[in-house]
Amino acid sequence: MRLDPNLTPDQRELALKIQAKAKPMAYGMVLGVPLTFGGVHYGITRQPVGFAAALAGLGLLAFGVFSLLQMQGLKRRLRLITADAWRSPAAHLPGARKAATQAAYLNGLLVLLSLAATGYLLYKGAGWGAYGNPFGFGALMLGAALPFGMALSAATTIPQLLQVIPAGARVGRSLYSVIFVLATTVTGEGIKGQAVGPVVAGGCTLLICGGAMSLLGKATKRMRGESV
């Protein structure tokens, strides 16, 4: 990922360290989640050797979580030297407080959308036959982990926004962009297959995400005390 050229040397150093921790965290999660859930499924439905795979998956998950905790520590250090991570100097202004409240509601909606996406994947998994075999079950759990993780990330920004901290709106905007890309894919597949349901659902999600991203961008500027 390309770094912001406006970062200070200290910020750049921490950002590089965060990037370095992101790779082992991703490997631990991406390999650990399906191996753990798939291994347990295999152990219960087929042979006990599946539980050995589940233990290996738990080890990878522990490695991923450890890397994630290290990343969070580095991010906290980065926030200490990043202006948007502190309470806005314009927090006393009614416009900034209103923008922060609006952003908190939008990120709350993001939590609900992400949880809905998690539930949708778990529900659709039955139709895909994912629950009937360990490999499909492991893959399904990995897919569901993404929107669930997004819901947790969005939820953590709400207290920040209630304190008029602009970084919360920036994080929400980034998370909305992920759902926007996924909704674009669903809409495109619906148009190709001439299926009305996916087109309507994807189109509505695109409108919601596009509007939310625009509003969060404006809210960030208002919280900074900039004119919109």
Side-chain angles (χ1 to χ4, degrees):
M1 185 174 66
R2 188 175 179 181
L3 295 177
D4 187 342
N6 297 318
L7 293 176
T8 65
D10 288 340
Q11 289 173 331
R12 179 175 292 274
E13 181 183 358
L14 285 170
L16 289 172
K17 288 181 179 178
I18 291 170
Q19 285 186 350
K21 292 295 180 183
K23 187 174 292 185
M25 184 272 292
Y27 283 135
M29 296 293 188
V30 170
L31 296 176
V33 169
L35 195 57
T36 300
F37 285 97
V40 170
H41 190 292
Y42 193 92
I44 294 173
T45 60
R46 301 190 183 184
Q47 297 179 7
V49 70
F51 294 116
L55 285 175
L58 284 174
L60 287 168
L61 267 178
F63 177 67
V65 170
F66 178 69
S67 299
L68 176 62
L69 292 175
Q70 288 182 313
M71 280 181 61
Q72 294 301 326
L74 291 169
K75 286 180 179 180
R76 282 192 291 271
R77 288 173 56 190
L78 182 59
R79 290 189 189 105
L80 294 175
I81 54 175
T82 304
D84 277 358
W86 292 88
R87 192 167 189 263
S88 169
H92 62 286
L93 298 176
R97 293 199 301 271
K98 182 178 179 180
T101 302
Q102 182 186 60
Y105 278 117
L106 288 170
N107 282 9
L109 175 61
L110 177 59
V111 173
L112 296 178
L113 286 174
S114 300
L115 290 176
T118 303
Y120 176 77
L121 285 173
L122 295 175
Y123 168 75
K124 292 294 288 184
W128 297 332
Y131 293 102
N133 68 89
F135 302 103
F137 184 65
L140 177 64
M141 291 300 105
L142 177 61
L146 173 61
F148 184 72
M150 290 173 56
L152 293 178
S153 296
T156 61
T157 66
I158 295 175
Q160 296 176 7
L161 290 167
L162 295 178
Q163 298 176 58
V164 198
I165 296 176
R170 291 181 61 187
V171 171
R173 197 166 187 267
S174 298
L175 294 174
Y176 265 113
S177 68
V178 175
I179 298 181
F180 187 89
V181 172
L182 295 175
T184 301
T185 303
V186 171
T187 305
E189 290 179 352
I191 293 173
K192 188 183 296 184
Q194 297 182 342
V196 177
V199 172
V200 173
C204 291
T205 305
L206 283 173
L207 289 174
I208 292 171
C209 291
M213 289 164 64
S214 176
L215 290 172
L216 285 171
K218 293 177 180 178
T220 301
K221 292 182 178 180
R222 288 198 187 101
M223 281 188 279
R224 290 173 178 164
E226 301 174 6
S227 58
V228 180

